[in-house]
Amino acid sequence: MPKEGHYVTRTGWLRAAVLGANDGIVSTSSLLAGVLAAGMERPVVLLTGLAALVAGAFSMASGEYVSVAAQSDSESADLELERRALEEDPDYELDELTSGLVERGVSPPLARAAAREMTAHDALDAHAREELGLTETGAAAPMQAALASAAAFATGAALPLAGAALGPAGPAGVLPVAALSLAALGGLGLTGARLGGAPAGRAAARALLWGGAAMGATALVGRLFDVAV
C-alpha cells in the first residue's frame, strides 16, 4: 500500500456516492419546486417528495448494479480470453508483454528480462495490468456501487424534503427548498472534490449551476400550469 494514500483507491465508491447524492438533491428538489410552484397542498407535496426519495434510491441502486455488473462481466471475459491465450501461445504473449514494456520506455533487454520475471510470478496478472489496464484497485464492484449510490441518493433527497416539510405551503415554499438544496449541492461539490483531490471551487460551481437550472426549470413549469388541488 503506497504511503501517499492515492485518491484513485476511492473511485469505486466515490463516483457512485457523489452521483447518487447529487441526483437525490437535484431530482427531488426540482420535483418539489415544481409541485410547490403549482400550488399543491402540503400532504401532496410531501407524499410526492417521499415517493421520489424511495423510487430514486432503488432506481439508482439498480442502475449502478446493472451497469457496474456489466463492466465486471466484460472484465471477466477479457481475463478469460487472456488466460486462454497464455495457455495456447505463451511465447507470443511473452513477446507482447515485452513489446508493451519497451513502448513504455524500458530497454529491450531489460524489458525481456522483466517480462520473463513477471510471467513467472503471475502471468495473468501481468497481462491484466500491462495489456488490459485492469488492477485490483480499479476492479468493478457492483454491490459496493449500488449500496453507495442508494444511500447517497436517499440522504441527498431527504434534505429538500425536509425543506418542504418545514417551509411554508404553496409557491412560497420553493425558496426554503431551493436554499437548502443549493447549500447541500455546494457542500457536496466541495466534499467530493476534497475526497478526490480535485479543485473544490470548480466542483462546487458545477453542482450549483446545474442544480439551480433544474430547480428553476421545474418551478417555471409548475407556475405555468398552476394546477392547485
Side-chain angles (χ1 to χ4, degrees):
M1 176 68 69
K3 66 179 182 179
E4 302 95 301
H6 292 298
Y7 297 112
V8 72
T9 59
R10 302 170 178 170
T11 54
W13 59 266
L14 181 59
R15 180 198 62 83
V18 171
L19 176 63
N22 185 83
D23 199 17
I25 296 168
V26 173
S27 63
T28 307
S29 63
S30 299
L31 184 59
L32 290 171
V35 295
L36 283 166
M40 290 188 175
E41 296 179 355
R42 184 185 298 275
V44 177
V45 171
L46 297 181
L47 180 59
T48 299
L50 182 60
L53 185 155
V54 175
F58 277 94
S59 176
M60 290 296 293
S62 63
E64 282 288 341
Y65 186 86
V66 169
S67 63
V68 179
Q71 177 188 341
S72 180
D73 290 343
S74 179
E75 292 174 358
S76 297
D78 267 340
L79 286 174
E80 181 57 32
L81 286 174
E82 202 62 37
R83 183 181 291 107
R84 287 206 301 268
L86 285 165
E87 292 175 353
E88 295 169 1
D89 197 346
D91 291 336
Y92 176 84
E93 292 299 310
L94 181 62
D95 290 341
E96 190 175 45
L97 184 57
T98 302
S99 297
L101 293 173
V102 170
E103 290 175 2
R104 291 173 57 184
V106 182
S107 65
L110 182 58
R112 189 65 170 186
R116 288 186 184 281
E117 288 194 22
M118 294 167 69
T119 299
H121 175 69
D122 189 333
L124 183 59
D125 179 71
H127 282 269
R129 289 173 179 271
E130 299 298 325
E131 186 178 342
L132 304 176
L134 299 179
T135 64
E136 185 177 343
T137 299
M143 187 57 68
Q144 180 190 57
L147 293 176
S149 186
F153 184 98
T155 301
L159 297 174
L161 184 56
L166 298 174
V174 173
L175 184 58
V177 169
L180 187 57
S181 299
L182 289 174
L185 285 170
L188 175 65
L190 292 173
T191 302
R194 286 173 179 168
L195 287 173
R202 187 186 307 168
R206 285 196 299 259
L208 290 171
L209 174 64
W210 290 103
M215 283 182 274
T218 50
L220 177 61
V221 171
R223 289 299 292 168
L224 288 174
F225 283 91
D226 194 20
V227 287
V229 292

